[in-house]
PDB file of all heavy atoms in Angstrom:
ATOM      1  N   TRP A 226      -2.267  28.634  29.662  1.00 95.00           N
ATOM      2  CA  TRP A 226      -1.894  27.184  29.560  1.00 95.00           C
ATOM      3  C   TRP A 226      -0.827  26.891  30.720  1.00 95.00           C
ATOM      4  O   TRP A 226      -0.776  25.734  31.170  1.00 95.00           O
ATOM      5  CB  TRP A 226      -1.285  26.840  28.293  1.00 95.00           C
ATOM      6  CG  TRP A 226      -2.460  26.876  27.154  1.00 95.00           C
ATOM      7  CD1 TRP A 226      -2.791  27.889  26.401  1.00 95.00           C
ATOM      8  CD2 TRP A 226      -3.221  25.745  26.921  1.00 95.00           C
ATOM      9  NE1 TRP A 226      -3.880  27.453  25.666  1.00 95.00           N
ATOM     10  CE2 TRP A 226      -4.145  26.112  25.848  1.00 95.00           C
ATOM     11  CE3 TRP A 226      -3.309  24.414  27.366  1.00 95.00           C
ATOM     12  CZ2 TRP A 226      -5.095  25.321  25.321  1.00 95.00           C
ATOM     13  CZ3 TRP A 226      -4.278  23.530  26.713  1.00 95.00           C
ATOM     14  CH2 TRP A 226      -5.126  23.997  25.773  1.00 95.00           C
ATOM     15  N   ASP A 227      -0.104  27.887  31.094  1.00 95.00           N
ATOM     16  CA  ASP A 227       0.940  27.667  32.169  1.00 95.00           C
ATOM     17  C   ASP A 227       0.297  27.482  33.562  1.00 95.00           C
ATOM     18  O   ASP A 227       0.782  26.801  34.400  1.00 95.00           O
ATOM     19  CB  ASP A 227       1.939  28.851  32.254  1.00 95.00           C
ATOM     20  CG  ASP A 227       2.937  28.771  31.069  1.00 95.00           C
ATOM     21  OD1 ASP A 227       3.141  27.680  30.549  1.00 95.00           O
ATOM     22  OD2 ASP A 227       3.516  29.871  30.748  1.00 95.00           O
ATOM     23  N   ARG A 228      -0.814  28.076  33.763  1.00 94.00           N
ATOM     24  CA  ARG A 228      -1.501  27.914  35.058  1.00 94.00           C
ATOM     25  C   ARG A 228      -2.343  26.619  35.132  1.00 94.00           C
ATOM     26  O   ARG A 228      -2.644  26.204  36.273  1.00 94.00           O
ATOM     27  CB  ARG A 228      -2.400  29.057  35.312  1.00 94.00           C
ATOM     28  CG  ARG A 228      -3.732  29.084  34.581  1.00 94.00           C
ATOM     29  CD  ARG A 228      -4.802  30.027  35.169  1.00 94.00           C
ATOM     30  NE  ARG A 228      -6.028  29.801  34.308  1.00 94.00           N
ATOM     31  CZ  ARG A 228      -6.540  30.641  33.505  1.00 94.00           C
ATOM     32  NH1 ARG A 228      -5.843  31.713  33.184  1.00 94.00           N
ATOM     33  NH2 ARG A 228      -7.641  30.332  32.779  1.00 94.00           N
ATOM     34  N   LEU A 229      -2.645  25.986  33.935  1.00 94.00           N
ATOM     35  CA  LEU A 229      -3.563  24.959  34.047  1.00 94.00           C
ATOM     36  C   LEU A 229      -3.165  23.752  34.834  1.00 94.00           C
ATOM     37  O   LEU A 229      -3.965  23.248  35.679  1.00 94.00           O
ATOM     38  CB  LEU A 229      -3.779  24.462  32.511  1.00 94.00           C
ATOM     39  CG  LEU A 229      -4.702  23.276  32.343  1.00 94.00           C
ATOM     40  CD1 LEU A 229      -6.154  23.664  32.816  1.00 94.00           C
ATOM     41  CD2 LEU A 229      -4.765  22.880  30.879  1.00 94.00           C
ATOM     42  N   PRO A 230      -1.908  23.293  34.861  1.00 93.00           N
ATOM     43  CA  PRO A 230      -1.499  22.122  35.716  1.00 93.00           C
ATOM     44  C   PRO A 230      -1.731  22.488  37.190  1.00 93.00           C
ATOM     45  O   PRO A 230      -2.114  21.632  38.008  1.00 93.00           O
ATOM     46  CB  PRO A 230      -0.030  21.909  35.445  1.00 93.00           C
ATOM     47  CG  PRO A 230       0.198  22.434  34.128  1.00 93.00           C
ATOM     48  CD  PRO A 230      -0.766  23.666  33.951  1.00 93.00           C
ATOM     49  N   TRP A 231      -1.539  23.835  37.533  1.00 94.00           N
ATOM     50  CA  TRP A 231      -1.637  24.159  38.943  1.00 94.00           C
ATOM     51  C   TRP A 231      -3.065  24.365  39.395  1.00 94.00           C
ATOM     52  O   TRP A 231      -3.437  23.960  40.594  1.00 94.00           O
ATOM     53  CB  TRP A 231      -0.771  25.450  39.254  1.00 94.00           C
ATOM     54  CG  TRP A 231       0.585  25.300  38.817  1.00 94.00           C
ATOM     55  CD1 TRP A 231       1.250  25.866  37.790  1.00 94.00           C
ATOM     56  CD2 TRP A 231       1.514  24.440  39.423  1.00 94.00           C
ATOM     57  NE1 TRP A 231       2.561  25.491  37.689  1.00 94.00           N
ATOM     58  CE2 TRP A 231       2.762  24.562  38.675  1.00 94.00           C
ATOM     59  CE3 TRP A 231       1.492  23.542  40.495  1.00 94.00           C
ATOM     60  CZ2 TRP A 231       3.867  23.876  38.999  1.00 94.00           C
ATOM     61  CZ3 TRP A 231       2.561  22.778  40.875  1.00 94.00           C
ATOM     62  CH2 TRP A 231       3.833  23.019  40.176  1.00 94.00           C
ATOM     63  N   THR A 232      -3.932  24.885  38.605  1.00 94.00           N
ATOM     64  CA  THR A 232      -5.387  24.997  38.990  1.00 94.00           C
ATOM     65  C   THR A 232      -6.012  23.583  39.064  1.00 94.00           C
ATOM     66  O   THR A 232      -6.806  23.352  39.955  1.00 94.00           O
ATOM     67  CB  THR A 232      -6.095  25.860  37.895  1.00 94.00           C
ATOM     68  OG1 THR A 232      -5.873  25.383  36.588  1.00 94.00           O
ATOM     69  CG2 THR A 232      -5.678  27.249  37.961  1.00 94.00           C
ATOM     70  N   LEU A 233      -5.610  22.737  38.198  1.00 92.00           N
ATOM     71  CA  LEU A 233      -6.238  21.340  38.235  1.00 92.00           C
ATOM     72  C   LEU A 233      -5.611  20.686  39.528  1.00 92.00           C
ATOM     73  O   LEU A 233      -6.342  19.915  40.157  1.00 92.00           O
ATOM     74  CB  LEU A 233      -5.876  20.505  37.016  1.00 92.00           C
ATOM     75  CG  LEU A 233      -6.497  21.037  35.671  1.00 92.00           C
ATOM     76  CD1 LEU A 233      -6.132  20.133  34.565  1.00 92.00           C
ATOM     77  CD2 LEU A 233      -8.062  21.132  35.803  1.00 92.00           C
ATOM     78  N   SER A 234      -4.338  20.871  39.821  1.00 93.00           N
ATOM     79  CA  SER A 234      -3.773  20.286  40.990  1.00 93.00           C
ATOM     80  C   SER A 234      -4.425  20.805  42.254  1.00 93.00           C
ATOM     81  O   SER A 234      -4.672  20.018  43.227  1.00 93.00           O
ATOM     82  CB  SER A 234      -2.321  20.541  41.060  1.00 93.00           C
ATOM     83  OG  SER A 234      -1.599  19.888  39.878  1.00 93.00           O
ATOM     84  N   ALA A 235      -4.729  22.101  42.244  1.00 93.00           N
ATOM     85  CA  ALA A 235      -5.441  22.659  43.376  1.00 93.00           C
ATOM     86  C   ALA A 235      -6.796  22.095  43.575  1.00 93.00           C
ATOM     87  O   ALA A 235      -7.233  21.737  44.771  1.00 93.00           O
ATOM     88  CB  ALA A 235      -5.604  24.154  43.177  1.00 93.00           C
ATOM     89  N   GLY A 236      -7.496  21.799  42.498  1.00 91.00           N
ATOM     90  CA  GLY A 236      -8.797  21.186  42.657  1.00 91.00           C
ATOM     91  C   GLY A 236      -8.681  19.785  43.220  1.00 91.00           C
ATOM     92  O   GLY A 236      -9.435  19.304  44.086  1.00 91.00           O
ATOM     93  N   ALA A 237      -7.595  19.043  42.847  1.00 92.00           N
ATOM     94  CA  ALA A 237      -7.378  17.729  43.373  1.00 92.00           C
ATOM     95  C   ALA A 237      -7.106  17.729  44.818  1.00 92.00           C
ATOM     96  O   ALA A 237      -7.559  16.948  45.613  1.00 92.00           O
ATOM     97  CB  ALA A 237      -6.184  17.040  42.542  1.00 92.00           C
ATOM     98  N   VAL A 238      -6.212  18.728  45.152  1.00 92.00           N
ATOM     99  CA  VAL A 238      -5.866  18.814  46.667  1.00 92.00           C
ATOM    100  C   VAL A 238      -7.048  19.191  47.559  1.00 92.00           C
ATOM    101  O   VAL A 238      -7.252  18.598  48.532  1.00 92.00           O
ATOM    102  CB  VAL A 238      -4.767  19.915  46.845  1.00 92.00           C
ATOM    103  CG1 VAL A 238      -4.569  20.246  48.248  1.00 92.00           C
ATOM    104  CG2 VAL A 238      -3.470  19.395  46.222  1.00 92.00           C
ATOM    105  N   GLY A 239      -7.909  20.137  47.009  1.00 88.00           N
ATOM    106  CA  GLY A 239      -9.075  20.471  47.782  1.00 88.00           C
ATOM    107  C   GLY A 239     -10.045  19.347  47.938  1.00 88.00           C
ATOM    108  O   GLY A 239     -10.588  19.090  49.075  1.00 88.00           O
ATOM    109  N   ALA A 240     -10.316  18.626  46.845  1.00 86.00           N
ATOM    110  CA  ALA A 240     -11.242  17.452  47.015  1.00 86.00           C
ATOM    111  C   ALA A 240     -10.682  16.384  47.963  1.00 86.00           C
ATOM    112  O   ALA A 240     -11.429  15.814  48.829  1.00 86.00           O
ATOM    113  CB  ALA A 240     -11.458  16.866  45.641  1.00 86.00           C
ATOM    114  N   ALA A 241      -9.417  16.087  47.811  1.00 89.00           N
ATOM    115  CA  ALA A 241      -8.793  15.045  48.671  1.00 89.00           C
ATOM    116  C   ALA A 241      -8.783  15.476  50.085  1.00 89.00           C
ATOM    117  O   ALA A 241      -9.073  14.634  51.033  1.00 89.00           O
ATOM    118  CB  ALA A 241      -7.327  14.704  48.174  1.00 89.00           C
ATOM    119  N   ALA A 242      -8.456  16.687  50.389  1.00 86.00           N
ATOM    120  CA  ALA A 242      -8.416  17.192  51.790  1.00 86.00           C
ATOM    121  C   ALA A 242      -9.713  17.161  52.478  1.00 86.00           C
ATOM    122  O   ALA A 242      -9.797  16.751  53.664  1.00 86.00           O
ATOM    123  CB  ALA A 242      -7.869  18.638  51.816  1.00 86.00           C
ATOM    124  N   LEU A 243     -10.832  17.562  51.701  1.00 81.00           N
ATOM    125  CA  LEU A 243     -12.155  17.429  52.355  1.00 81.00           C
ATOM    126  C   LEU A 243     -12.488  15.999  52.638  1.00 81.00           C
ATOM    127  O   LEU A 243     -13.105  15.638  53.673  1.00 81.00           O
ATOM    128  CB  LEU A 243     -13.167  18.096  51.471  1.00 81.00           C
ATOM    129  CG  LEU A 243     -13.261  19.670  51.571  1.00 81.00           C
ATOM    130  CD1 LEU A 243     -14.144  20.180  50.353  1.00 81.00           C
ATOM    131  CD2 LEU A 243     -13.794  20.031  52.857  1.00 81.00           C
ATOM    132  N   ALA A 244     -12.221  15.087  51.635  1.00 84.00           N
ATOM    133  CA  ALA A 244     -12.511  13.724  51.907  1.00 84.00           C
ATOM    134  C   ALA A 244     -11.794  13.113  53.064  1.00 84.00           C
ATOM    135  O   ALA A 244     -12.306  12.323  53.866  1.00 84.00           O
ATOM    136  CB  ALA A 244     -12.260  12.897  50.571  1.00 84.00           C
ATOM    137  N   ILE A 245     -10.486  13.466  53.251  1.00 85.00           N
ATOM    138  CA  ILE A 245      -9.710  12.989  54.373  1.00 85.00           C
ATOM    139  C   ILE A 245     -10.257  13.617  55.659  1.00 85.00           C
ATOM    140  O   ILE A 245     -10.342  12.811  56.709  1.00 85.00           O
ATOM    141  CB  ILE A 245      -8.193  13.465  54.261  1.00 85.00           C
ATOM    142  CG1 ILE A 245      -7.563  12.719  52.982  1.00 85.00           C
ATOM    143  CG2 ILE A 245      -7.418  13.240  55.430  1.00 85.00           C
ATOM    144  CD1 ILE A 245      -6.130  13.216  52.597  1.00 85.00           C
ATOM    145  N   GLY A 246     -10.681  14.865  55.690  1.00 78.00           N
ATOM    146  CA  GLY A 246     -11.192  15.335  56.921  1.00 78.00           C
ATOM    147  C   GLY A 246     -12.452  14.593  57.345  1.00 78.00           C
ATOM    148  O   GLY A 246     -12.728  14.348  58.548  1.00 78.00           O
ATOM    149  N   ALA A 247     -13.326  14.201  56.390  1.00 77.00           N
ATOM    150  CA  ALA A 247     -14.483  13.476  56.691  1.00 77.00           C
ATOM    151  C   ALA A 247     -14.206  12.071  57.194  1.00 77.00           C
ATOM    152  O   ALA A 247     -14.844  11.498  58.052  1.00 77.00           O
ATOM    153  CB  ALA A 247     -15.360  13.415  55.424  1.00 77.00           C
ATOM    154  N   LEU A 248     -13.093  11.489  56.620  1.00 77.00           N
ATOM    155  CA  LEU A 248     -12.752  10.135  56.984  1.00 77.00           C
ATOM    156  C   LEU A 248     -12.154  10.128  58.388  1.00 77.00           C
ATOM    157  O   LEU A 248     -12.302   9.140  59.157  1.00 77.00           O
ATOM    158  CB  LEU A 248     -11.764   9.555  56.013  1.00 77.00           C
ATOM    159  CG  LEU A 248     -12.244   9.155  54.559  1.00 77.00           C
ATOM    160  CD1 LEU A 248     -11.174   8.837  53.625  1.00 77.00           C
ATOM    161  CD2 LEU A 248     -13.100   7.866  54.768  1.00 77.00           C
ATOM    162  N   TRP A 249     -11.335  11.105  58.738  1.00 71.00           N
ATOM    163  CA  TRP A 249     -10.561  11.096  60.025  1.00 71.00           C
ATOM    164  C   TRP A 249     -11.507  11.088  61.250  1.00 71.00           C
ATOM    165  O   TRP A 249     -11.582  10.221  62.030  1.00 71.00           O
ATOM    166  CB  TRP A 249      -9.581  12.163  60.051  1.00 71.00           C
ATOM    167  CG  TRP A 249      -8.266  11.792  59.445  1.00 71.00           C
ATOM    168  CD1 TRP A 249      -8.014  10.554  58.924  1.00 71.00           C
ATOM    169  CD2 TRP A 249      -7.065  12.556  59.319  1.00 71.00           C
ATOM    170  NE1 TRP A 249      -6.719  10.584  58.366  1.00 71.00           N
ATOM    171  CE2 TRP A 249      -6.152  11.804  58.559  1.00 71.00           C
ATOM    172  CE3 TRP A 249      -6.823  13.899  59.560  1.00 71.00           C
ATOM    173  CZ2 TRP A 249      -4.825  12.178  58.269  1.00 71.00           C
ATOM    174  CZ3 TRP A 249      -5.560  14.332  59.253  1.00 71.00           C
ATOM    175  CH2 TRP A 249      -4.658  13.585  58.633  1.00 71.00           C
ATOM    176  N   HIS A 250     -12.199  12.199  61.422  1.00 59.00           N
ATOM    177  CA  HIS A 250     -13.004  12.298  62.517  1.00 59.00           C
ATOM    178  C   HIS A 250     -14.301  13.097  62.357  1.00 59.00           C
ATOM    179  O   HIS A 250     -14.904  13.579  63.349  1.00 59.00           O
ATOM    180  CB  HIS A 250     -12.124  12.872  63.720  1.00 59.00           C
ATOM    181  CG  HIS A 250     -11.229  14.028  63.323  1.00 59.00           C
ATOM    182  ND1 HIS A 250     -11.789  15.189  62.678  1.00 59.00           N
ATOM    183  CD2 HIS A 250      -9.897  14.088  63.396  1.00 59.00           C
ATOM    184  CE1 HIS A 250     -10.693  16.019  62.550  1.00 59.00           C
ATOM    185  NE2 HIS A 250      -9.636  15.413  62.891  1.00 59.00           N
ATOM    186  N   ASP A 251     -14.587  13.415  61.192  1.00 57.00           N
ATOM    187  CA  ASP A 251     -15.816  14.157  60.830  1.00 57.00           C
ATOM    188  C   ASP A 251     -15.746  15.596  61.363  1.00 57.00           C
ATOM    189  O   ASP A 251     -16.786  16.230  61.438  1.00 57.00           O
ATOM    190  CB  ASP A 251     -17.045  13.387  61.279  1.00 57.00           C
ATOM    191  CG  ASP A 251     -18.287  13.866  60.728  1.00 57.00           C
ATOM    192  OD1 ASP A 251     -18.223  14.404  59.579  1.00 57.00           O
ATOM    193  OD2 ASP A 251     -19.361  13.770  61.274  1.00 57.00           O
ATOM    194  N   GLN A 252     -14.630  16.018  61.921  1.00 62.00           N
ATOM    195  CA  GLN A 252     -14.572  17.362  62.424  1.00 62.00           C
ATOM    196  C   GLN A 252     -13.258  18.088  61.869  1.00 62.00           C
ATOM    197  O   GLN A 252     -12.171  17.475  61.934  1.00 62.00           O
ATOM    198  CB  GLN A 252     -14.492  17.358  63.987  1.00 62.00           C
ATOM    199  CG  GLN A 252     -15.702  16.808  64.621  1.00 62.00           C
ATOM    200  CD  GLN A 252     -16.859  17.630  64.587  1.00 62.00           C
ATOM    201  OE1 GLN A 252     -16.720  18.902  64.833  1.00 62.00           O
ATOM    202  NE2 GLN A 252     -18.019  17.204  64.225  1.00 62.00           N
ATOM    203  N   ILE A 253     -13.409  19.290  61.302  1.00 67.00           N
ATOM    204  CA  ILE A 253     -12.311  19.956  60.690  1.00 67.00           C
ATOM    205  C   ILE A 253     -12.490  21.402  61.024  1.00 67.00           C
ATOM    206  O   ILE A 253     -13.566  21.926  61.244  1.00 67.00           O
ATOM    207  CB  ILE A 253     -12.199  19.753  59.133  1.00 67.00           C
ATOM    208  CG1 ILE A 253     -13.525  20.145  58.448  1.00 67.00           C
ATOM    209  CG2 ILE A 253     -11.782  18.345  58.826  1.00 67.00           C
ATOM    210  CD1 ILE A 253     -13.427  20.169  56.980  1.00 67.00           C
ATOM    211  N   ALA A 254     -11.316  22.097  61.083  1.00 73.00           N
ATOM    212  CA  ALA A 254     -11.321  23.544  61.394  1.00 73.00           C
ATOM    213  C   ALA A 254     -12.044  24.274  60.339  1.00 73.00           C
ATOM    214  O   ALA A 254     -11.779  23.966  59.095  1.00 73.00           O
ATOM    215  CB  ALA A 254      -9.955  24.068  61.660  1.00 73.00           C
ATOM    216  N   PRO A 255     -12.733  25.299  60.638  1.00 75.00           N
ATOM    217  CA  PRO A 255     -13.500  26.102  59.520  1.00 75.00           C
ATOM    218  C   PRO A 255     -12.497  26.627  58.566  1.00 75.00           C
ATOM    219  O   PRO A 255     -12.778  26.725  57.370  1.00 75.00           O
ATOM    220  CB  PRO A 255     -14.217  27.114  60.316  1.00 75.00           C
ATOM    221  CG  PRO A 255     -14.389  26.557  61.641  1.00 75.00           C
ATOM    222  CD  PRO A 255     -13.185  25.737  61.923  1.00 75.00           C
ATOM    223  N   TRP A 256     -11.351  27.205  58.982  1.00 75.00           N
ATOM    224  CA  TRP A 256     -10.427  27.773  58.110  1.00 75.00           C
ATOM    225  C   TRP A 256      -9.879  26.789  57.135  1.00 75.00           C
ATOM    226  O   TRP A 256      -9.595  27.001  55.954  1.00 75.00           O
ATOM    227  CB  TRP A 256      -9.254  28.522  58.796  1.00 75.00           C
ATOM    228  CG  TRP A 256      -8.373  27.603  59.672  1.00 75.00           C
ATOM    229  CD1 TRP A 256      -8.546  27.264  60.928  1.00 75.00           C
ATOM    230  CD2 TRP A 256      -7.206  26.887  59.121  1.00 75.00           C
ATOM    231  NE1 TRP A 256      -7.598  26.280  61.380  1.00 75.00           N
ATOM    232  CE2 TRP A 256      -6.763  26.164  60.209  1.00 75.00           C
ATOM    233  CE3 TRP A 256      -6.573  26.854  57.899  1.00 75.00           C
ATOM    234  CZ2 TRP A 256      -5.651  25.312  60.093  1.00 75.00           C
ATOM    235  CZ3 TRP A 256      -5.404  25.990  57.822  1.00 75.00           C
ATOM    236  CH2 TRP A 256      -4.912  25.277  58.895  1.00 75.00           C
ATOM    237  N   TRP A 257      -9.665  25.463  57.632  1.00 76.00           N
ATOM    238  CA  TRP A 257      -9.102  24.477  56.715  1.00 76.00           C
ATOM    239  C   TRP A 257     -10.212  24.055  55.789  1.00 76.00           C
ATOM    240  O   TRP A 257      -9.890  23.880  54.520  1.00 76.00           O
ATOM    241  CB  TRP A 257      -8.696  23.244  57.623  1.00 76.00           C
ATOM    242  CG  TRP A 257      -8.260  22.077  56.860  1.00 76.00           C
ATOM    243  CD1 TRP A 257      -8.913  20.872  56.686  1.00 76.00           C
ATOM    244  CD2 TRP A 257      -7.022  21.909  56.140  1.00 76.00           C
ATOM    245  NE1 TRP A 257      -8.187  20.079  55.908  1.00 76.00           N
ATOM    246  CE2 TRP A 257      -6.991  20.660  55.588  1.00 76.00           C
ATOM    247  CE3 TRP A 257      -5.914  22.826  55.945  1.00 76.00           C
ATOM    248  CZ2 TRP A 257      -5.904  20.248  54.731  1.00 76.00           C
ATOM    249  CZ3 TRP A 257      -4.880  22.389  55.128  1.00 76.00           C
ATOM    250  CH2 TRP A 257      -4.840  21.091  54.621  1.00 76.00           C
ATOM    251  N   ALA A 258     -11.408  23.872  56.218  1.00 76.00           N
ATOM    252  CA  ALA A 258     -12.444  23.532  55.256  1.00 76.00           C
ATOM    253  C   ALA A 258     -12.632  24.539  54.218  1.00 76.00           C
ATOM    254  O   ALA A 258     -12.910  24.308  53.119  1.00 76.00           O
ATOM    255  CB  ALA A 258     -13.767  23.285  56.044  1.00 76.00           C
ATOM    256  N   ALA A 259     -12.523  25.921  54.631  1.00 80.00           N
ATOM    257  CA  ALA A 259     -12.778  26.989  53.659  1.00 80.00           C
ATOM    258  C   ALA A 259     -11.572  26.909  52.566  1.00 80.00           C
ATOM    259  O   ALA A 259     -11.903  27.162  51.436  1.00 80.00           O
ATOM    260  CB  ALA A 259     -12.659  28.360  54.452  1.00 80.00           C
ATOM    261  N   LEU A 260     -10.380  26.693  52.984  1.00 85.00           N
ATOM    262  CA  LEU A 260      -9.328  26.561  52.092  1.00 85.00           C
ATOM    263  C   LEU A 260      -9.473  25.410  51.115  1.00 85.00           C
ATOM    264  O   LEU A 260      -9.264  25.492  49.899  1.00 85.00           O
ATOM    265  CB  LEU A 260      -8.008  26.381  52.802  1.00 85.00           C
ATOM    266  CG  LEU A 260      -7.401  27.654  53.561  1.00 85.00           C
ATOM    267  CD1 LEU A 260      -6.072  27.269  54.126  1.00 85.00           C
ATOM    268  CD2 LEU A 260      -7.143  28.734  52.399  1.00 85.00           C
ATOM    269  N   CYS A 261     -10.001  24.336  51.657  1.00 82.00           N
ATOM    270  CA  CYS A 261     -10.197  23.071  50.846  1.00 82.00           C
ATOM    271  C   CYS A 261     -11.341  23.441  49.713  1.00 82.00           C
ATOM    272  O   CYS A 261     -11.165  23.054  48.599  1.00 82.00           O
ATOM    273  CB  CYS A 261     -10.596  21.913  51.638  1.00 82.00           C
ATOM    274  SG  CYS A 261      -9.270  21.401  52.715  1.00 82.00           S
ATOM    275  N   VAL A 262     -12.395  24.022  50.256  1.00 82.00           N
ATOM    276  CA  VAL A 262     -13.444  24.284  49.309  1.00 82.00           C
ATOM    277  C   VAL A 262     -13.017  25.310  48.251  1.00 82.00           C
ATOM    278  O   VAL A 262     -13.388  25.269  47.022  1.00 82.00           O
ATOM    279  CB  VAL A 262     -14.763  24.883  50.082  1.00 82.00           C
ATOM    280  CG1 VAL A 262     -15.751  25.385  49.078  1.00 82.00           C
ATOM    281  CG2 VAL A 262     -15.314  23.787  51.001  1.00 82.00           C
ATOM    282  N   LEU A 263     -12.209  26.310  48.633  1.00 88.00           N
ATOM    283  CA  LEU A 263     -11.639  27.291  47.716  1.00 88.00           C
ATOM    284  C   LEU A 263     -10.744  26.608  46.667  1.00 88.00           C
ATOM    285  O   LEU A 263     -10.902  26.967  45.462  1.00 88.00           O
ATOM    286  CB  LEU A 263     -10.831  28.337  48.400  1.00 88.00           C
ATOM    287  CG  LEU A 263     -10.167  29.374  47.616  1.00 88.00           C
ATOM    288  CD1 LEU A 263     -11.190  30.239  46.872  1.00 88.00           C
ATOM    289  CD2 LEU A 263      -9.331  30.314  48.478  1.00 88.00           C
ATOM    290  N   ALA A 264      -9.878  25.690  47.088  1.00 89.00           N
ATOM    291  CA  ALA A 264      -9.046  24.964  46.194  1.00 89.00           C
ATOM    292  C   ALA A 264      -9.797  24.148  45.204  1.00 89.00           C
ATOM    293  O   ALA A 264      -9.616  24.137  44.052  1.00 89.00           O
ATOM    294  CB  ALA A 264      -8.029  24.069  46.894  1.00 89.00           C
ATOM    295  N   LEU A 265     -10.850  23.544  45.756  1.00 84.00           N
ATOM    296  CA  LEU A 265     -11.691  22.705  44.876  1.00 84.00           C
ATOM    297  C   LEU A 265     -12.430  23.663  43.880  1.00 84.00           C
ATOM    298  O   LEU A 265     -12.591  23.313  42.746  1.00 84.00           O
ATOM    299  CB  LEU A 265     -12.775  21.968  45.699  1.00 84.00           C
ATOM    300  CG  LEU A 265     -13.767  21.123  45.021  1.00 84.00           C
ATOM    301  CD1 LEU A 265     -13.089  19.998  44.157  1.00 84.00           C
ATOM    302  CD2 LEU A 265     -14.815  20.571  45.953  1.00 84.00           C
ATOM    303  N   GLY A 266     -12.848  24.789  44.325  1.00 87.00           N
ATOM    304  CA  GLY A 266     -13.516  25.721  43.484  1.00 87.00           C
ATOM    305  C   GLY A 266     -12.639  26.249  42.344  1.00 87.00           C
ATOM    306  O   GLY A 266     -13.094  26.492  41.275  1.00 87.00           O
TER     307      GLY A 266
END
Side-chain angles (χ1 to χ4, degrees):
W226 290 90
D227 285 337
R228 78 163 184 254
L229 182 61
W231 303 112
T232 52
L233 295 180
S234 297
V238 169
L243 279 171
I245 291 171
L248 285 168
W249 272 359
H250 41 59
D251 196 27
Q252 297 288 312
I253 56 176
W256 65 268
W257 176 253
L260 285 177
C261 293
V262 173
L263 178 62
L265 179 62

